[in-house]
C-alpha cells in the first residue's frame, strides 16, 4: 500500500514533466518518508504541545507504561501528557528505542486504571508491530499527494493556456489531480484500520484485560461524540486537538463525524472493534460482558 502511494506520486510527476519529473517525485517520496520517520516524535511533540513527564510528575501512568513495556519486552518509552480535555492517546517515534507514549489529561480523568492499561497496551503494540513507521510514512505521503494534487490543477491549467500542454494531457492531469489525493487518503486509511484491529488484540493480550479495553473504547467513543455535538452546536469554542492529518495516530479519531464514509475512516467502527475483542477474550478464556 505504501508502494501504491509512491506510485501515485510518480504518476503525478510524469504528468507534470515526463520521466524526469517522475524520477524527481520518486526521490521526493524517499526524502519525505525519511524525514517523517526520523523526526516524527519531535514534530508531534511540538505540534501537539505535549510535555514529556517523569515518574515523579505522573506516577500512575508512568507505572502502567513501565509495567507493560517490560511485559512486552520493549525498552521503556518516554511518556508525555497533553493538557487537553479531549480524551485520547497515541504512540510515535521512529523505533522502540525512541518511542513516545502520549496521553491527554482528558483520558486520564475519564478512564480507570484497568481501562488505561488496555489503552497503553494498545499503544505499545503499535510500537512493537512497527505500526508507527508504516503509519507515519503513509500519512506523510498521503499528505504530500493532497497538496501536490491541489497545485497540479492550477499548473495544468496554466500550461494548457500558456504552454504546450494538449487537451488530452490536460484532462489526464486534471483527473490525476482529483483522484490521486482521494486514492491516497483511502489507502492511508485502509492501512490505519487494519493496524488498529491488530493493536486492539495486542493491547488486550498484553494487559490481560480485553473487557477493560472494550470499556475504554466505549467511553472514548461516547465522549468524542459528545464533543463533536458540542462543536457542531457551537456550544464549545475549543478547537479539536491536533489536526486531521494526524488522526491515524490516535486510539480513536476525534475528527470523524457520523457521515464520514468508512472508506476514508482511519479507524474501524467501535462496534467492530468490540466484536473483535469479544473473539480475543473467548480465545483467552476470560470473561467479556460486552
Amino acid at each position: 500500500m505504501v508502494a501504491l502511494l509512491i506510485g501515485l506520486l510518480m504518476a503525478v510527476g510524469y504528468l507534470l514533466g515526463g520521466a524526469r519529473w517522475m524520477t524527481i517525485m520518486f526521490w521526493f517520496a524517499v526524502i519525505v518518508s525519511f524525514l517523517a520517520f526520523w523526526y516524527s516524535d519531535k514534530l508531534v511533540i511540538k505540534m501537539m504541545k505535549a510535555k514529556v513527564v517523569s515518574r515523579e510528575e505522573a506516577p500512575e501512568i508512568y507505572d502502567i507504561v513501565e509495567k507493560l513495556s517490560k511485559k512486552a519486552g520493549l525498552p521503556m518509552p518516554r511518556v508525555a501528557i497533553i493538557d487537553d480535555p479531549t480524551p485520547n492517546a497515541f504512540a510515535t517515534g521512529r523505533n522502540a528505542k525512541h518511542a513516545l507514549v502520549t496521553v491527554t489529561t482528558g483520558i486520564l480523568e475519564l478512564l480507570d486504571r484497568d481501562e488505561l492499561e488496555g489503552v497503553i497496551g494498545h499503544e505499545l503494540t503499535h510500537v512493537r508491530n512497527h505500526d508507527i513507521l508504516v503509519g507515519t510514512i503513509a500519512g506523510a505521503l498521503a499528505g504530500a499527494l493532497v497538496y501536490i494534487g491541489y497545485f497540479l490543477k492550477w499548473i495544468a491549467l496554466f500550461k494548457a493556456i500558456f504552454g504546450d500542454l494538449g487537451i488530452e494531457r490536460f484532462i489526464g492531469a486534471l483527473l490525476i489531480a482529483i483522484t490521486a489525493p482521494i486514492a491516497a487518503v483511502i489507502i492511508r486509511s485502509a492501512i490505519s484500520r487494519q493496524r488498529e484491529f491488530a493493536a486492539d488484540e495486542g493491547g488486550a493480550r498484553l494487559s490481560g484485560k480485553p473487557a477493560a479495553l472494550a470499556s475504554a473504547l466505549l467511553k472514548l467513543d461516547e465522549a468524542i461524540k459528545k464533543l463533536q455535538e458540542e462543536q457542531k452546536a457551537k456550544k464549545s469554542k475549543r478547537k479539536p486537538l491536533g489536526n486531521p492529518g494526524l488522526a491515524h495516530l490516535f486510539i480513536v479519531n476525534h475528527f470523524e463525524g457520523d457521515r464520514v464514509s468508512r472508506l476514508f475512516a482511519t479507524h474501524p467502527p467501535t462496534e467492530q472493534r468490540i466484536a473483535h475483542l469479544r473473539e480475543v477474550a473467548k480465545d483467552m478464556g476470560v470473561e467479556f460482558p460486552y
Side-chain angles (χ1 to χ4, degrees):
M1 287 186 174
V2 172
L4 279 174
L5 288 172
I6 294 173
L8 282 171
L9 268 171
M10 293 173 69
V12 169
Y14 182 79
L15 284 168
L16 279 172
R20 181 168 173 268
W21 270 91
M22 184 171 71
T23 305
I24 289 172
M25 281 299 180
F26 170 77
W27 288 110
F28 173 76
V30 171
I31 292 168
V32 166
S33 299
F34 173 78
L35 291 175
F37 164 64
W38 198 260
Y39 295 107
S40 61
D41 55 338
K42 296 179 181 66
L43 289 170
V44 170
I45 286 176
K46 189 173 182 179
M47 292 175 70
M48 299 286 191
K49 298 179 181 178
K51 180 189 175 185
V52 177
V53 296
S54 64
R55 184 193 300 276
E56 290 72 25
E57 292 173 296
E60 183 179 23
I61 193 67
Y62 200 97
D63 180 61
I64 291 172
V65 174
E66 185 177 51
K67 182 182 79 171
L68 294 180
S69 296
K70 287 180 181 177
K71 190 174 180 181
L74 293 170
M76 175 64 187
R78 288 173 296 160
V79 180
I81 294 178
I82 301 172
D83 185 13
D84 193 287
T86 305
N88 229 321
F90 65 88
T92 188
R94 63 182 182 270
N95 54 38
K97 290 183 180 179
H98 296 86
L100 173 74
V101 174
T102 305
V103 295
T104 64
T105 51
I107 201 171
L108 294 176
E109 293 170 2
L110 180 68
L111 305 184
D112 62 32
R113 185 182 174 93
D114 285 347
E115 292 164 342
L116 282 171
E117 287 190 10
V119 168
I120 298 303
H122 172 106
E123 298 306 334
L124 290 174
T125 300
H126 277 312
V127 175
R128 187 172 59 185
N129 291 350
H130 308 290
D131 293 339
I132 297 166
L133 167 62
V134 177
T136 299
I137 291 175
L141 291 175
L145 268 164
V146 169
Y147 283 108
I148 290 171
Y150 174 78
F151 288 110
L152 178 61
K153 289 181 288 186
W154 298 107
I155 292 170
L157 182 61
F158 182 83
K159 280 192 171 186
I161 296 173
F162 301 104
D164 56 353
L165 190 66
I167 186 66
E168 290 183 0
R169 288 195 67 190
F170 171 71
I171 293 172
L174 199 60
L175 286 173
I176 286 290
I178 294 169
T179 59
I182 295 172
V185 173
I186 290 173
I187 292 168
R188 183 206 66 183
S189 299
I191 292 172
S192 178
R193 287 195 299 274
Q194 290 304 314
R195 302 322 300 154
E196 288 303 314
F197 278 128
D200 282 344
E201 180 170 353
R205 293 185 184 278
L206 189 58
S207 66
K209 301 167 183 175
L213 178 54
S215 174
L217 291 175
L218 288 169
K219 282 186 179 181
L220 291 170
D221 186 59
E222 184 179 346
I224 294 300
K225 285 179 179 176
K226 183 179 179 181
L227 175 67
Q228 290 171 342
E229 287 172 2
E230 288 177 355
Q231 289 171 343
K232 285 179 183 177
K234 296 182 179 179
K235 292 180 180 179
S236 173
K237 294 181 180 179
R238 181 162 48 87
K239 293 181 180 179
L241 173 65
N243 67 69
L246 298 174
H248 62 284
L249 287 176
F250 294 95
I251 188 169
V252 292
N253 187 347
H254 54 272
F255 295 99
E256 291 177 354
D258 295 334
R259 297 181 182 179
V260 176
S261 167
R262 292 189 178 184
L263 277 174
F264 298 96
T266 56
H267 293 63
T270 301
E271 59 269 20
Q272 289 184 16
R273 297 174 75 175
I274 300 298
H276 180 63
L277 284 170
R278 187 180 300 115
E279 294 301 314
V280 174
K282 184 178 178 182
D283 184 61
M284 292 172 64
V286 297
E287 186 179 350
F288 193 82
Y290 299 101

